[in-house]
Amino acid sequence: MEKINKKYCYPLLCTLFLALSVALGGCGAEEQVQNTAVLQETEQSSAPAQIRIFYYSTTGEPNFGDPQFKECLFRYSEKYPGLEFVIESSEPGEDRDMVLNRLLADISQGRGPDILVLSRKTLEIFQDNGALAELSGVLPEELTGQIFDSVLRQGRVGDGLYGVAWEARVDTLLVPEKVWQGETWRVADVLSLLKERETQGEPYDRWLSISYSLTAEQMLYDLALQGIEGIEGSVSTLVDLEQGKCFFDTPEFVRLLEICKKYGEVSGSREYTDQAERLAEVRSGRALALLCSGDLKEFSRVMASCEDGFRCVGYPTENACGSYVNCSRFMTVNAATENYDIVVGFLKEMLSEEVQRENFGISSVRRDVLTENVVEHPSFCETPVFMYGDKAYTQLEGKADGSSWAREYVELLEKGAPGSWEMSEIQLIVMEEAAAYFNGDKSAEDVAGVIQSMVGLYLDERRDN
């Protein structure tokens, strides 16, 4: 039995940040017309005070928040019957910089939304412009003490906390123990394993088994660019952020480019492969490693399918944990809001044990939610379960002895490095320039030289600023 969200009609105004005078096509347009109609009807009456929430979209469509987010907002709004809670978003196709600049201008003049739901990169921009309130002193220690540090670190800029995520997922790699016995591995280790199999006359088809074609660009990103410009610095030998130096014009990086081109697959050349097929690919020796990414339920599913003989080593890294903790959105507070106590109260509500358990559960950012609500040997089920409440639960695939994978999942959340859903400037430079070699337009040596020069200039500018 899966948890079923209760159905209700909630009076949230999901309106666009700009006037919807532009005609929209498809079912999305129909939805927006309905939202506009609600707004017009409301404006004809005496409008109550508003709490505005801006939910930033990185896609071409407006984003009014996931259902759980809206459910939590509805629940919180019931405490303030005299207030109107309004969710806004950017207009489809609107220029990202124009949206951000408009928001920053409004906040600088004491206006703007009370709460902004932002990506990490956008959070940094707003904090740099003084638009966000610092949250360290207002979130109680008994609350933040239960939130995984890997999550809190993603909302920090310097010593200040400016945003908090309400959901988290892990991203790691599994490798057969007969192939690799270490806790982590480096890029050089992966290349050595590939070379060893080539020497034996039985080369791998690809280094990582994923659901789709593994292109040269994707292989380069997974092997060498994860964490190269992370929130807490670089975990790569290719870049030294503290010293402002980079090391792309080396034989090692040229060799890496060559390996990626050699093993890279043409985009779209493979049909979708499910978990069983990907596991079989690794077990048979056609692929070196297996992707494991998601919440507790997905993590448990993958781990249960390959329980015997696999190690969780993460992505190649030189001096850190190779597993990542990913949070896609962060709740932030307008530094100029006149409703500070109310909006901070919403953040506390979203991060409370009850809301985290009932609404987010298997993707919760709280340690106690994940450690205290997994039942290992329930009387009503043959597998472990996560309990959302007295009768609501979701099944988890367990180990051969019936126990759960919760401990291993929590361990990754504890020690995992802060991840990112967005490309950093260095990653963009490397990926864009490497494409010239992968497409056959330049030599590996020439591309390595260009990357060295461009990343070097970026690091100089970064240091000067």
Side-chain angles (χ1 to χ4, degrees):
M1 171 181 174
E2 298 288 340
K3 173 179 181 274
I4 300 176
N5 291 327
K6 63 180 180 180
K7 297 183 182 297
Y8 55 83
C9 295
Y10 52 89
L12 295 177
L13 279 173
C14 296
T15 62
L16 290 177
F17 181 70
L18 299 179
L20 285 176
S21 57
V22 181
L24 301 175
C27 60
E30 181 177 329
E31 180 182 353
Q32 300 310 320
V33 170
Q34 291 175 346
N35 291 330
T36 305
V38 173
L39 175 61
Q40 292 171 345
E41 180 180 344
T42 302
E43 290 177 337
Q44 292 174 1
S45 60
S46 57
Q50 287 187 345
I51 300 296
R52 296 168 55 201
I53 301 95
F54 184 82
Y55 204 109
Y56 182 65
S57 175
T58 57
T59 66
E61 296 298 324
N63 190 340
F64 296 114
D66 57 78
Q68 289 84 1
F69 181 88
K70 290 190 287 188
E71 180 176 344
C72 293
L73 186 59
F74 168 69
R75 172 177 174 167
Y76 185 67
S77 69
E78 292 181 321
K79 298 181 179 181
Y80 298 93
L83 290 178
E84 183 179 62
F85 288 75
V86 182
I87 301 180
E88 305 169 345
S89 182
S90 51
E91 185 175 2
E94 187 175 15
D95 181 79
R96 176 180 184 270
D97 291 336
M98 288 181 60
V99 175
L100 301 184
N101 288 336
R102 185 181 299 109
L103 285 171
L104 286 170
D106 284 346
I107 293 174
S108 69
Q109 297 173 24
R111 303 194 304 268
D114 301 280
I115 297 173
L116 301 103
V117 179
L118 307 173
S119 68
R120 167 66 195 193
K121 184 177 291 187
T122 313
L123 181 153
E124 291 177 349
I125 295 172
F126 275 62
Q127 189 278 332
D128 189 54
N129 282 270
L132 302 181
E134 211 278 327
L135 303 173
S136 298
V138 297
L139 296 179
E141 186 175 346
E142 59 267 23
L143 187 155
T144 56
Q146 287 294 344
I147 300 176
F148 292 103
D149 191 51
S150 59
V151 173
L152 289 175
R153 280 147 58 195
Q154 295 185 56
R156 293 190 182 279
V157 178
D159 295 329
L161 179 67
Y162 294 92
V164 186
W166 63 92
E167 286 189 283
R169 292 169 174 81
V170 300
D171 184 14
T172 190
L173 301 182
L174 308 177
V175 65
E177 288 183 337
K178 65 181 181 180
V179 174
W180 188 253
Q181 294 79 44
E183 294 295 322
T184 60
W185 53 356
R186 302 168 301 152
V187 175
D189 298 322
V190 174
L191 299 187
S192 177
L193 291 170
L194 295 177
K195 180 66 175 178
E196 181 180 342
R197 283 289 296 271
E198 290 177 3
T199 302
Q200 295 172 355
E202 297 179 349
Y204 288 105
D205 291 342
R206 52 185 185 167
W207 93 278
L208 177 62
S209 184
I210 56 177
S211 299
Y212 43 87
S213 304
L214 185 65
T215 64
E217 290 85 354
Q218 184 67 54
M219 183 173 177
L220 176 62
Y221 180 88
D222 290 337
L223 277 176
L225 301 185
Q226 284 264 33
I228 198 169
E229 192 180 6
I231 294 171
E232 299 166 340
S234 177
V235 296
S236 169
T237 58
L238 291 170
V239 172
D240 184 335
L241 294 177
E242 291 186 3
Q243 298 295 322
K245 297 179 180 180
C246 56
F247 311 96
F248 292 96
D249 56 346
T250 63
E252 291 77 15
F253 184 69
V254 170
R255 177 60 178 158
L256 175 60
L257 290 174
E258 294 171 344
I259 291 294
C260 290
K261 183 173 183 178
K262 180 177 182 179
Y263 282 88
E265 300 171 333
V266 176
S267 179
S269 61
R270 281 180 180 257
E271 295 183 357
Y272 174 83
T273 55
D274 60 23
Q275 170 64 23
E277 293 172 312
R278 285 183 275 125
L279 178 58
E281 186 177 32
V282 177
R283 286 193 184 279
S284 66
R286 289 176 287 128
L288 173 57
L290 181 70
L291 177 66
C292 180
S293 180
D295 56 26
L296 175 59
K297 185 178 180 68
E298 178 61 17
F299 177 81
S300 299
R301 186 178 71 85
V302 176
M303 294 298 291
S305 70
C306 56
E307 177 178 357
D308 56 318
F310 276 76
R311 298 186 68 85
C312 184
V313 298
Y315 291 86
T317 181
E318 297 295 328
N319 53 11
C321 175
S323 298
Y324 291 88
V325 177
N326 288 326
C327 303
S328 60
R329 290 289 186 273
F330 302 85
M331 297 178 291
T332 69
V333 176
N334 180 346
T337 181
E338 297 179 353
N339 303 297
Y340 186 78
D341 291 340
I342 295 174
V343 298
V344 168
F346 176 64
L347 268 62
K348 293 178 181 178
E349 177 107 345
M350 285 283 285
L351 299 170
S352 67
E353 189 279 335
E354 182 180 7
V355 168
Q356 282 283 305
R357 171 173 46 82
E358 292 182 356
N359 292 274
F360 305 107
I362 54 177
S363 60
S364 174
V365 297
R366 289 183 64 116
R367 184 181 301 101
D368 54 355
V369 168
L370 291 167
T371 57
E372 297 175 10
N373 296 288
V374 173
V375 180
E376 304 249 321
H377 301 280
S379 59
F380 53 85
C381 187
E382 295 181 354
T383 68
V385 297
F386 179 91
M387 300 297 300
Y388 292 93
D390 291 339
K391 297 181 180 180
Y393 64 88
T394 189
Q395 289 184 241
L396 305 171
E397 295 190 40
K399 303 177 183 178
D401 62 4
S403 60
S404 76
W405 293 96
R407 181 181 61 81
E408 290 81 359
Y409 180 74
V410 168
E411 183 179 343
L412 288 182
L413 287 172
E414 295 278 14
K415 70 178 184 180
S420 176
W421 293 73
E422 300 168 294
M423 296 282 282
S424 71
E425 293 301 320
I426 293 178
Q427 290 170 337
L428 286 170
I429 292 171
V430 176
M431 295 288 280
E432 289 176 1
E433 296 305 320
Y437 169 62
F438 296 147
N439 296 333
D441 299 326
K442 293 182 179 179
S443 69
E445 290 80 6
D446 287 344
V447 163
V450 172
I451 293 174
Q452 174 70 18
S453 176
M454 294 186 67
V455 174
L457 288 173
Y458 165 75
L459 292 174
D460 288 343
E461 295 175 358
R462 188 176 185 270
R463 182 178 54 214
D464 293 339
N465 293 331

